Amino acid sequence: MVAVILSGGAGTRLWPVSREQYPKPFMKLPDGQSLLQKAFLRAARVGAQRVLTVTGLEYYYSTASEYEALGMPEVQTSFVVEPLRRNTAPAIAMAALWVAEHNPDEVMLVLSADHLILREEAFAQAVTQAQAIAQEGYLVTFGIQPTYPATNFGYIEQGLPLQDGAYRVARFVEKPDQQTAEAYLQTGRFFWNAGIFCFKATTYLQALEHLQPDMYKAALDCWQGSEKGEVTYLDANLFKQVPSESVDYAVMEKAAQVAVVPADLGWSDLGSWDAAALMVPPDAAGNRVFGEAVLLETTNTFVQTEDRVVAVIGASDLVIVDTRDALLVARRDKVQDVKKVVEQLTHSKHDTVRRHRTIRRPWGSYLTLEETSGFKIRRVVVKPGQALSNHLHHHRSEHWTVLRGTAQVWLDGRAQMLRQGESVSALAGVAHQLINPGLLDLVLIEVQTGEYLGEDDVKRLESHI
């Protein structure tokens, strides 16, 4: 079995932590793991020999780093890298083409990178059940036992029974209103649609070819015209031609052989801060704190903070999320409206929608500490064995001071070693490259000075490594 993890999307309801360049799958939970890492571990626990991740170009390096940090080389990893978003039906099609090329009869377990499952043993049992049904040519989806009349999920209605407690799918239904959701709950025949699937690669491709021939042809053309390997980069011009549609609408709602495996998994899509708060144990007053906070005469309040102490006095039923550059304060019954805040910030082109102050790169990360006219100060971390590109700037100079580790610096074709407390300057117009030759993170302070400090003032040169 190959586990396919779909990783993308901004998760706007979890702003200010989730942003375009750092979406929900990368969010760290109180146990220190990200949702993406939990999806990877979940796939490994149910016996997947390989994890195939479909993600965007902007997330590939961060995704690979998340997997590497888990230290599980026994699980093989491959990637399909999308140049733009095209929804779940094309994403799964590309994964199915990858799997079919290696083993047409292989079963795919399709997971979302940003969901949480607490009952791992129940999930493993459901996967075993789904695999058996998938081998018979069914497209299998997982139905979550509803615990309340939710109006923010789609539903699946069970049909005739199949083997071992599974059912044919009678129909998929869109997100209902409150009265309809309550009626669904009372019947006992409806399940939440979690977007977890299991089927053979060829089963999905045959269904797609039959139900969405234009999408299938465009996906196949894109696959055949792309550079393939353990990391497959989809051709941008060809991928643009693939129609954008959800897998539910394009395939699952229309296919004949669709089954549902009911499961009580302790599942959550963490679709709001109210849901995220449940990951933190409450105190006697119902407060939940992730980070450092002081709460006085406060009840039923969630606080998440990164670097600062948050004090709350005489409040109740609040959500408070503090990051380096943005603060969210909301009533708990209004957390779904965070999306409206993001819409306004997007309209004004505010930078907090796109990225955090800490920017992650394949070689490490940097944090902007201060920026004003004429200078910029950053804290730079370079991972062991990694290097920045060899380049020069026309309008700015850079000064590096090593705080921890050892740096190899190339200046105008000459190499030198810098250790803790030592520094060097690269003047405007001088080629320079920073390398970490050590076994530990290299941490340094970078000071940029000049009339223009834009990121586009860079000329890439041939690397020294």
Side-chain angles (χ1 to χ4, degrees):
M1 180 177 69
V2 173
V4 175
I5 296 179
L6 306 180
S7 183
T12 54
R13 289 185 177 89
L14 291 178
W15 182 90
V17 175
S18 177
R19 307 190 188 186
E20 288 181 10
Q21 293 184 6
Y22 187 80
K24 187 168 68 165
F26 299 106
M27 285 178 55
K28 298 295 182 184
L29 299 181
D31 63 2
Q33 292 178 345
S34 67
L35 289 167
L36 177 62
Q37 288 175 323
K38 287 186 177 296
F40 184 96
L41 293 171
R42 188 175 306 129
R45 289 191 191 105
V46 298
Q49 294 84 28
R50 180 182 295 274
V51 172
L52 172 62
T53 304
V54 183
T55 191
L57 183 61
E58 65 272 39
Y59 307 133
Y60 162 61
Y61 292 107
S62 295
T63 301
S65 295
E66 290 282 298
Y67 293 166
E68 182 181 349
L70 292 172
M72 297 184 65
E74 67 275 14
V75 180
Q76 301 178 70
T77 57
S78 302
F79 296 86
V80 173
V81 180
E82 298 177 319
L84 67 158
R85 295 174 187 172
R86 269 294 182 265
N87 217 315
T88 51
I92 296 173
M94 293 304 170
L97 287 164
W98 191 102
V99 174
E101 192 169 279
H102 292 78
N103 183 356
D105 293 324
E106 189 86 69
V107 170
M108 300 166 50
L109 175 66
V110 182
L111 306 171
S112 292
D114 57 359
H115 290 180
L116 185 67
I117 291 176
L118 298 178
R119 300 188 181 99
E120 295 287 355
E121 289 187 6
F123 178 67
Q125 293 172 2
V127 169
T128 299
Q129 188 177 357
Q131 280 184 275
I133 300 170
Q135 291 287 4
E136 297 180 5
Y138 280 88
L139 299 166
V140 185
T141 186
F142 290 61
I144 305 301
Q145 298 280 3
T147 55
Y148 64 95
T151 59
N152 55 330
F153 303 137
Y155 283 74
I156 303 167
E157 184 179 11
Q158 71 181 46
L160 296 175
L162 295 170
Q163 62 191 44
D164 299 327
Y167 298 87
R168 284 183 174 271
V169 170
R171 59 174 173 145
F172 290 82
V173 292
E174 298 295 329
K175 299 173 183 177
D177 58 29
Q178 187 67 35
Q179 184 177 358
T180 305
E182 290 173 357
Y184 287 168
L185 193 63
Q186 291 175 359
T187 68
R189 299 195 314 272
F190 287 84
F191 307 98
W192 291 337
N193 183 358
I196 306 172
F197 308 101
C198 187
F199 36 67
K200 292 195 291 187
T202 50
T203 302
Y204 180 80
L205 292 172
Q206 288 167 3
L208 187 69
E209 183 178 19
H210 174 66
L211 298 168
Q212 305 290 340
D214 292 342
M215 182 184 295
Y216 173 81
K217 184 180 184 305
L220 184 61
D221 289 345
C222 177
W223 181 255
Q224 292 173 343
S226 298
E227 177 187 345
K228 294 184 284 291
E230 290 305 308
V231 180
T232 297
Y233 293 92
L234 299 179
D235 182 271
N237 291 327
L238 293 173
F239 197 55
K240 286 179 184 177
Q241 308 307 314
V242 183
S244 177
E245 192 57 78
S246 73
V247 65
D248 284 335
Y249 185 80
V251 177
M252 301 301 289
E253 294 179 8
K254 299 176 173 64
Q257 293 281 93
V258 183
V260 58
V261 173
D264 184 6
L265 305 178
W267 171 86
S268 173
D269 71 342
L270 291 186
S272 70
W273 280 115
D274 225 19
L278 297 177
M279 295 299 300
V280 182
D283 63 14
N287 299 311
R288 302 169 190 264
V289 176
F290 181 22
E292 191 173 5
V294 177
L295 281 68
L296 301 177
E297 300 178 14
T298 295
T299 59
N300 197 33
T301 289
F302 172 64
V303 179
Q304 177 167 324
T305 177
E306 291 182 358
D307 300 310
R308 294 180 290 196
V309 177
V310 171
V312 186
I313 304 173
S316 61
D317 301 304
L318 293 182
V319 168
I320 302 171
V321 181
D322 185 39
T323 67
R324 289 180 181 270
D325 58 353
L327 170 66
L328 169 70
V329 180
R331 281 191 357 221
R332 295 192 70 158
D333 62 351
K334 292 292 185 180
V335 291
Q336 293 293 340
D337 290 340
V338 172
K339 188 174 183 178
K340 297 179 181 178
V341 174
V342 175
E343 289 172 354
Q344 289 195 27
L345 292 172
T346 301
H347 180 72
S348 63
K349 298 182 180 180
H350 202 282
D351 207 37
T352 56
V353 174
R354 294 183 55 250
R355 60 185 182 181
H356 287 274
R357 286 175 63 185
T358 297
I359 306 297
R360 289 161 179 81
R361 291 288 184 258
W363 44 261
S365 63
Y366 64 85
L367 166 65
T368 300
L369 301 173
E370 185 174 355
E371 181 176 4
T372 188
S373 177
F375 75 89
K376 182 188 298 185
I377 304 173
R378 287 175 170 174
R379 180 181 184 270
V380 179
V381 179
V382 184
K383 294 184 289 188
Q386 296 296 313
L388 282 68
S389 65
N390 186 29
H391 62 279
L392 61 82
H393 308 288
H394 295 290
H395 303 288
R396 72 171 184 256
S397 299
E398 293 179 343
H399 183 83
W400 293 326
T401 300
V402 175
L403 303 181
R404 186 171 65 240
T406 301
Q408 182 184 45
V409 179
W410 286 82
L411 282 179
D412 214 11
R414 295 181 179 180
Q416 58 180 292
M417 302 297 290
L418 296 181
R419 291 170 176 80
Q420 188 178 42
E422 298 179 335
S423 61
V424 69
S425 293
L427 300 178
V430 174
H432 54 284
Q433 182 170 23
L434 178 64
I435 302 168
N436 180 1
L439 300 177
L440 302 176
D441 283 350
L442 166 63
V443 183
L444 52 86
I445 292 293
E446 175 185 274
V447 179
Q448 301 178 7
T449 55
E451 295 181 357
Y452 180 71
L453 305 177
E455 293 297 321
D456 56 342
D457 176 23
V458 59
K459 180 180 180 181
R460 308 290 179 188
L461 304 169
E462 184 177 352
S463 177
H464 292 289
I465 60 171

